[in-house]
Amino acid sequence: MEVIDLTQVPAVDNHCHGVTQDQAFEYVTGWRRAFTESADPSMPRDHVTTTSFYRRLIRTLADFLGCEPEEEAVFAARTEKNGRELTHELLLAANVEALLLDTGFPPPEEVFPVPELGQIGDCRAEPMLRLEVLMEDLLAEYDSLEEMREALAAALDDVRGQGYVALKSIAAYRTGLDIREWPREEAEESFHEYRRTAGAGSARLVHKPLLDTLLHVTFAQASRQEIPVQFHV
């Protein structure tokens, strides 16, 4: 089978997250945990190393770091580099031209600031605004759906002026992509249900009539400003 070499084609990552400044892992099992979303302790201990992705990762990083293609050797060679140095070398090697960063996760205090990441990687780095984080922040402040709609519209009045190049939603994870226009009564009830659950300690926006209604506010602002809206699916 013919292999096509794409290494000279600049890459644009249109969905990525901030890179943590601290790239150190005390133990190899901690590093393995970065390659699974499972909270089950058996995953990094017993299973991550059996995946085809991880096995290929070890071989590729061994070439990159100039060491033996064994997990212990790769982990040791990686540990010798600090987070900034490692990030710089990896982004350059990947020929990354641009990064579009979802700033909703990880927490901003843990990652390189967006402009600094661009400098580290010698590439363009631009932030996207995570909508659900903004919505949840605003929902804590307003006592009616109408006030909330107005506040959200105001917060999104000048997206580019706030430094963002796009809006980002995780509605597909939360309530699905069948985004509807709901009767006002159902949207109001959903708003009050959210406020009740938030008051009980769960402020996660998983209330479909409410989220759909707020997304329509977002769509109107995005259309007016010709701002892209990205859905994570």
Side-chain angles (χ1 to χ4, degrees):
M1 182 177 66
E2 182 181 1
V3 176
I4 301 175
D5 183 3
L6 299 177
T7 56
Q8 299 307 310
V9 179
V12 175
D13 191 337
N14 72 344
H15 168 213
C16 55
H17 295 269
V19 177
T20 54
Q21 299 185 53
D22 184 4
Q23 290 285 324
F25 295 90
E26 187 174 0
Y27 302 106
V28 70
T29 50
W31 185 48
R32 292 176 189 168
R33 194 170 291 114
F35 302 101
T36 176
E37 294 186 5
S38 173
D40 187 334
S42 70
M43 287 299 294
R45 186 185 66 234
D46 303 324
H47 303 298
V48 166
T49 58
T50 68
T51 64
S52 58
F53 168 79
Y54 192 81
R55 292 180 176 185
R56 181 177 180 181
L57 171 79
I58 294 299
R59 295 195 303 271
T60 303
L61 277 181
D63 289 340
F64 177 76
L65 295 169
C67 64
E68 292 297 314
E70 302 291 339
E71 182 187 52
E72 295 81 0
V74 169
F75 183 70
R78 183 191 183 282
T79 302
E80 293 177 358
K81 299 179 181 291
N82 62 42
R84 188 181 185 90
E85 179 185 13
L86 185 63
T87 301
H88 169 73
E89 293 179 1
L90 287 170
L91 288 174
L92 287 186
N95 195 17
V96 172
E97 184 176 88
L99 300 169
L100 298 182
L101 293 135
D102 175 357
T103 56
F105 180 83
E109 63 272 13
E110 296 181 7
V111 301
F112 291 109
V114 174
E116 185 177 349
L117 183 59
Q119 295 171 1
I120 291 171
D122 192 23
C123 63
R124 181 182 176 188
E126 302 288 355
M128 297 186 293
L129 175 62
R130 172 80 75 90
L131 289 166
E132 284 75 12
V133 172
L134 172 63
M135 292 172 182
E136 289 166 356
D137 287 344
L138 292 174
L139 281 164
E141 300 180 20
Y142 296 95
D143 295 325
S144 74
L145 178 59
E146 188 57 35
E147 288 179 318
M148 175 60 199
R149 286 165 53 94
E150 292 175 359
L152 180 60
L156 297 174
D157 183 60
D158 185 8
V159 174
R160 288 191 180 90
Q162 298 177 58
Y164 297 102
V165 297
L167 303 173
K168 164 75 177 289
S169 173
I170 55 171
Y173 287 151
R174 296 284 182 89
T175 57
L177 289 176
D178 180 20
I179 299 168
R180 300 165 46 192
E181 293 188 81
W182 292 81
R184 185 176 184 85
E185 296 77 10
E186 293 184 55
E188 290 276 5
E189 175 55 33
S190 186
F191 171 83
H192 292 297
E193 175 61 25
Y194 173 85
R195 292 297 299 267
R196 286 192 291 271
T197 57
S202 176
R204 185 178 174 87
L205 179 52
V206 292
H207 303 70
K208 184 169 178 57
L210 175 58
L211 180 52
D212 285 2
T213 298
L214 297 180
L215 283 172
H216 279 288
V217 175
T218 297
F219 297 156
Q221 289 289 53
S223 176
R224 180 178 62 81
Q225 299 169 58
E226 297 186 343
I227 287 285
V229 180
Q230 181 186 99
F231 283 88
H232 187 172
V233 295

